[in-house]
């Protein structure tokens, strides 16, 4: 079981997840999307592709760009398509 929490709220929780480069990627159905707000931020990884970001929002507090995902990853990272990973103070336990 992996769980992501921030500001006292569970943001994602699942028995099924992927670990890539030390980051836990939660499947889309395991993420509580009501706590996520899309941002305009994008980054590029040479082997995974272009990442898009979410801010995590809990009780009116916003953690900008604290979650990311690869909507259309390169072939080498197809296993994390649409999965969401967290950082910037979001606690991920597994």
């Amino acid at each position: 079981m992996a769980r992501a929490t921030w500001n006292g709220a569970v943001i994602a929780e699942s028995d099924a997840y992927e670990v890539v480069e030390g980051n836990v990627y939660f499947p889309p159905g395991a993420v509580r999307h009501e706590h996520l707000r899309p941002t305009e931020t994008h980054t590029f990884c040479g082997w995974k592709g272009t990442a898009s970001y979410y801010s995590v929002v809990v009780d009116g507090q916003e953690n900008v760009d604290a979650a990311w995902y690869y909507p259309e990853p390169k072939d080498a990272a197809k296993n994390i398509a649409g999965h969401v990973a967290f950082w910037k103070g979001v606690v991920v336990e597994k």
Side-chain angles (χ1 to χ4, degrees):
M1 170 73 71
R3 175 181 291 144
T5 58
W6 186 71
N7 201 26
V10 175
I11 310 301
E13 188 172 42
S14 182
D15 286 325
Y17 55 88
E18 299 286 335
V19 178
V20 177
E21 295 180 326
N23 296 302
V24 173
Y25 284 81
F26 292 88
V31 179
R32 297 191 176 136
H33 290 272
E34 65 269 20
H35 292 298
L36 302 181
R37 180 177 302 144
T39 73
E40 296 296 317
T41 303
H42 300 281
T43 57
F44 181 76
C45 170
W47 73 272
K48 289 182 289 222
T50 300
S52 296
Y53 286 75
Y54 293 115
S55 289
V56 175
V57 181
V58 175
D59 293 333
Q61 294 187 19
E62 183 175 11
N63 189 346
V64 177
D65 293 335
W68 74 94
Y69 67 103
Y70 292 88
E72 297 179 19
K74 292 186 172 191
D75 287 342
K78 286 290 185 194
N79 61 313
I80 60 169
H83 286 50
V84 180
F86 300 92
W87 69 322
K88 295 180 74 174
V90 176
V91 177
V92 178
E93 302 169 297
K94 58 180 179 147

